[in-house]
């Protein structure tokens, strides 16, 4: 694994390209903040626009690709992630900080998600409905939305991107992925897996940068027809207002604590174990 001197690249229109901003953020090992793993670019609004254009241009052909064929590419991504599981888990631990055993578990969960979503390529039927008019046949079909923006946090830097990217792509959308600047190494590996699985140029793009610049462009650009966001309550609420104001679909998974209800007839030791793990496991997440 190359360390220290690497500057992570964006992935736009099928090519790995360096940001032109000239500004970077150090990617530190949280277990040893003196160790610099690499440098994440603070990409520009123009680079986000280029990714959106690439996704927009790739959409007609990807939409026309048969859903089972899209699913086969997702299945190939699963096969590649199985092969690269240890490498991906090691990078995840280095830059995110969770235990290696937990990192392996997260990658395995991502593999499971890919396996399930690959099958969705053959499970996207419409439906027929009775018509009140004679000799009239009514039916529905599922259609992709178009260009979608996927904004993810640092705490599950493999699983959350995968559970956004895979369903978006198998449904026929094209995507721009904005990972957290704290975890660019795993983001790059995830995108490389999809690239090597055979995705056509422009179907999946990645731009690393701040929410105020790259994220703002993704949320407000009229070519983006849906936004899926995982992050804080404050940012998610503002994002939802912006997206909804232009009639665009938004999906927000925001932070919060889950309450625990312990009933009198419970297995008390199991309840305590589950509560403690939920509150303090995964680096306090």
């Amino acid at each position: 694994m190359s360390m220290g001197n690497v500057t992570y690249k964006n992935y736009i229109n099928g090519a790995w390209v360096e940001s032109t901003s000239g500004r970077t953020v150090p990617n530190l090992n949280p277990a040893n903040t003196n160790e610099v793993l690499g440098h994440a670019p603070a990409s520009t609004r123009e680079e986000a626009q280029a990714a959106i254009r690439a996704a927009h241009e790739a959409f007609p052909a990807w939409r026309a690709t048969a859903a089972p064929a899209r699913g086969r590419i997702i299945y190939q991504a699963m096969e590649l992630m199985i092969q690269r599981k240890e490498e991906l888990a090691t990078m995840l631990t280095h830059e995110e900080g969770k235990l290696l055993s937990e990192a392996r578990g997260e990658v395995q969960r991502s593999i499971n998600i890919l396996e399930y979503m690959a099958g969705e390529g053959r499970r996207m039927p419409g439906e027929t409905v009775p018509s009140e008019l004679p000799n009239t046949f009514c039916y529905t079909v599922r259609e992709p939305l178009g260009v979608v923006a996927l904004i993810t946090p640092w705490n599950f830097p493999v699983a959350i991107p995968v559970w956004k990217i895979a369903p978006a792509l198998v449904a026929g959308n094209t995507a721009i992925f904005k990972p957290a600047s704290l975890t660019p190494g795993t983001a790059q590996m995830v995108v490389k897996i999809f690239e090597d699985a055979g995705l056509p140029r422009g179907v999946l793009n990645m731009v690393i940068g701040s929410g105020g610049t790259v994220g703002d462009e993704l949320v407000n650009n009229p070519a983006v027809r849906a936004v899926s966001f995982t992050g804080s309550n404050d940012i998610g609420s503002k994002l939802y207002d912006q997206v909804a104001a232009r009639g665009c679909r938004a999906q927000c998974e925001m932070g919060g604590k889950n309450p625990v209800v312990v009933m009198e007839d419970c297995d008390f030791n199991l309840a305590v174990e589950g509560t403690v793990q939920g509150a303090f496991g995964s680096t306090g997440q």
Side-chain angles (χ1 to χ4, degrees), residues 188-206:
Q188 186 168 287
M189 285 185 175
V190 167
V191 172
K192 188 70 169 66
I193 283 171
F194 281 102
E195 178 188 37
D196 291 348
L199 275 183
R201 187 179 67 181
V203 169
L204 175 63
N205 306 271
M206 179 180 73

Side-chain angles (χ1 to χ4, degrees), residues 19-283:
S19 173
T20 60
S21 74
R23 294 178 289 111
T24 60
V25 177
N27 183 21
L28 304 178
N29 180 347
N32 176 13
T33 54
N34 291 321
E35 182 182 9
V36 179
L37 304 175
H39 300 274
S43 299
T44 66
R45 186 176 296 273
E46 290 72 23
E47 286 161 337
Q49 292 168 350
I52 293 168
R53 283 194 302 272
H56 182 71
E57 291 169 3
F59 175 62
W62 184 242
R63 174 181 181 168
T65 301
R70 299 193 297 255
R72 282 194 291 273
I73 293 176
I74 302 302
Y75 190 85
Q76 181 60 29
M78 181 204 74
E79 296 280 8
L80 292 171
M81 189 170 287
I82 291 172
Q83 296 172 19
R84 302 175 192 180
K85 180 178 180 179
E86 195 66 17
E87 178 187 7
L88 191 51
T90 301
M91 172 57 87
L92 200 166
T93 291
H94 267 93
E95 68 176 4
E96 193 275 344
K98 64 180 57 174
L99 299 173
L100 184 57
S101 59
E102 292 180 346
R104 289 174 177 142
E106 179 177 337
V107 176
Q108 183 58 52
R109 183 179 185 182
S110 305
I111 290 166
N112 297 345
I113 292 166
L114 288 168
E115 182 179 29
Y116 181 86
M117 286 300 165
E120 286 295 277
R122 296 186 179 273
R123 291 193 296 263
M124 281 192 286
E127 60 181 7
T128 60
V129 293
S131 172
E132 62 184 27
L133 301 175
N135 302 315
T136 300
F137 180 65
C138 297
Y139 65 96
T140 65
V141 294
R142 294 180 181 270
E143 295 186 342
L145 295 170
V147 178
V148 300
L150 312 173
I151 301 172
T152 64
W154 60 273
N155 58 341
F156 288 88
V158 178
I160 294 178
V162 166
W163 79 46
K164 293 184 190 295
I165 293 170
L169 298 187
V170 79
N173 302 289
T174 54
I176 301 96
F177 165 40
K178 192 194 91 63
S181 296
L182 290 174
T183 51
T186 49
Q188 186 168 287
M189 285 185 175
V190 167
V191 172
K192 188 70 169 66
I193 283 171
F194 281 102
E195 178 188 37
D196 291 348
L199 275 183
R201 187 179 67 181
V203 169
L204 175 63
N205 306 271
M206 179 180 73
V207 182
I208 305 170
S210 72
T213 302
V214 174
D216 185 70
E217 183 63 34
L218 295 178
V219 167
N220 291 294
N221 192 297
V224 175
R225 300 311 309 148
V227 178
S228 181
F229 167 85
T230 300
S232 70
N233 290 330
D234 288 346
I235 293 175
S237 297
K238 293 174 183 175
L239 180 152
Y240 188 88
D241 288 344
Q242 289 178 290
V243 173
R246 61 183 185 85
C248 182
R249 295 192 186 186
Q251 178 189 67
C252 294
E253 178 196 14
M254 296 181 280
K257 277 293 185 183
N258 297 327
V260 177
V261 178
V262 181
M263 309 300 287
E264 288 185 6
D265 61 348
C266 74
D267 179 331
F268 190 73
N269 290 333
L270 184 60
V272 169
E273 180 183 345
T275 303
V276 170
Q277 184 173 339
F280 299 104
S282 189
T283 56

